[in-house]
Amino acid sequence: SRFPRGTIIGVKQRILLPGAPPRAALGWLAGAAFVVAGVLTPAALAWVFTHPPRRFHTKNPRVLGMPYQRIRLRTRDDLRLSAWYVPAAKEARGVVIVCHGYFGNRATMLPHLRFLHQAGYAALLLDFRAHGWSGGSMATLGRRETLDVTAALDWVSAHPALGRLPAALLGESMGASVALMVAADDMRVRAVVSDAAFARLDNAVAGRLRLTLGPLAKRIIPPTQTIGERLIGTSCAEVAPVEAIARIAPRPVLLIHGTQDRLIGVENARELLAAAPGNATLWEVPGAGHVMSIYTAPEEYARRVLDFLNDSL
């Protein structure tokens, strides 16, 4: 009524499709989704890493023509673990506890059993907690797995035929890292063969996330590690074989690491060697990826490990 009849007034209008939210709402939703993804993605990754899908093995030492016994171990935190005891092919000169890596199981260590058995070593191969056929619902990536290896040592010590024999630990990846930490505090261990161990757990966490997420890993690593630390109950920096290896001395350690390991870089082995007070030796396997040294150079691998055990035990 304020304008004369016939006046044309310019009006800026926004045309919306029925039910479509305004741009401000879309922006808010996108921001909220970004925040939620930034929280949920690290939480989901941390949960998956500490609750890996189980790989149930069907192979056993019989495929290698070896007799074996299924045994049960009980840890000091009251978990039941599944394991095999394989007697030596001849009079036993020692016993080796064989420790698999993360997301593995005891069957993945059968290639190691082949040469140990023929050389006169009895062997015990266990499934870590939350792996294979063992009990437990959460993997702690080395923190509580030390109790699993201690349970294996307890079983060996109580065995009438094995308790008098010298014992060694042989492990790969997480199993190698656990072996180093156990040997540091358990004098029943006379020697350690460590294949592709991490110096600190945070190195392994970062390596796995980089392989999984590529360029996105840089932003995801800190929150994922923080959440994972709350799940396992300790800082990743505290799960540190590099802080333990000096306490193994003067007992010997053989470090093995592939030069093309993209998950746990060979610099971890070099850091472990530098921290050992002269009781460790390092064999860097040219061209080998993570825990692939035994396949890259199988004959030399067996020879070096057996020479080390024969000299050490």
Side-chain angles (χ1 to χ4, degrees):
S1 61
R2 295 170 50 195
F3 299 97
R5 188 180 299 275
T7 303
I8 299 175
I9 302 173
V11 178
K12 183 178 181 181
Q13 293 183 328
R14 177 177 297 169
I15 301 175
L16 297 178
L17 295 175
R23 288 183 182 177
L26 286 173
W28 184 88
L29 288 171
F34 181 80
V35 171
V36 169
V39 173
L40 292 183
T41 299
L45 287 169
W47 180 265
V48 169
F49 288 157
T50 54
H51 298 78
R54 286 182 184 260
R55 296 170 63 188
F56 294 106
H57 45 81
T58 56
K59 292 183 178 180
N60 59 51
R62 191 176 292 121
V63 302
L64 302 177
M66 300 176 189
Y68 73 100
Q69 175 187 350
R70 291 187 178 91
I71 62 172
R72 287 285 184 181
L73 309 174
R74 185 173 292 277
T75 67
R76 295 179 184 180
D77 61 345
D78 204 33
L79 278 180
R80 289 176 66 85
L81 307 179
S82 185
W84 295 320
Y85 164 58
V86 182
K90 49 191 176 183
E91 184 178 357
R93 60 195 308 170
V95 56
V96 181
I97 296 172
V98 183
C99 310
H100 66 78
Y102 171 80
F103 193 49
N105 55 54
R106 62 188 188 261
T108 61
M109 304 300 288
L110 287 173
H112 300 77
L113 180 60
R114 187 190 303 272
F115 62 78
L116 291 172
H117 178 74
Q118 295 300 326
Y121 290 99
L124 188 151
L125 294 79
L126 73 151
D127 283 338
F128 278 117
R129 61 185 60 209
H131 288 77
W133 296 96
S134 286
S137 59
M138 185 172 77
T140 64
L141 308 175
R143 184 193 175 220
R144 300 192 71 81
E145 284 76 7
T146 53
L147 297 176
D148 303 350
V149 176
T150 299
L153 283 165
D154 291 342
W155 187 90
V156 168
S157 297
H159 193 283
L162 302 179
R164 61 181 176 80
L165 295 175
L169 304 180
L170 183 157
E172 65 178 25
S173 195
M174 181 187 75
S177 307
V178 171
L180 292 169
M181 291 186 288
V182 169
D185 299 315
D186 197 323
M187 296 303 296
R188 292 176 294 181
V189 180
R190 294 274 297 274
V192 181
V193 179
S194 165
D195 185 344
F198 54 75
R200 290 182 175 81
L201 177 55
D202 46 7
N203 294 346
V205 170
R208 185 165 293 276
L209 286 172
R210 281 194 294 267
L211 283 179
T212 304
L213 301 175
L216 296 177
K218 185 176 181 179
R219 293 181 178 273
I220 293 294
I221 288 172
T224 301
Q225 181 169 316
T226 298
I227 296 169
E229 288 173 338
R230 293 186 178 183
L231 289 173
I232 67 174
T234 192
S235 165
C236 287
E238 295 297 318
V239 184
V242 72
E243 301 295 338
I245 194 169
R247 301 200 303 274
I248 301 175
R251 292 165 292 157
V253 176
L254 172 61
L255 300 168
I256 302 171
H257 218 108
T259 60
Q260 298 302 311
D261 192 333
R262 296 177 57 210
L263 177 59
I264 300 174
V266 69
E267 63 273 8
N268 284 264
R270 295 167 185 165
E271 188 176 350
L272 287 166
L273 181 66
N279 62 317
T281 56
L282 170 60
W283 175 36
E284 295 186 16
V285 185
H290 187 61
V291 300
M292 295 301 292
S293 296
I294 192 171
Y295 303 103
T296 302
E299 293 182 2
E300 186 175 5
Y301 190 103
R303 178 182 61 79
R304 283 179 179 262
V305 171
L306 291 176
D307 285 349
F308 170 79
L309 291 175
N310 293 341
D311 290 343
S312 303
L313 302 184

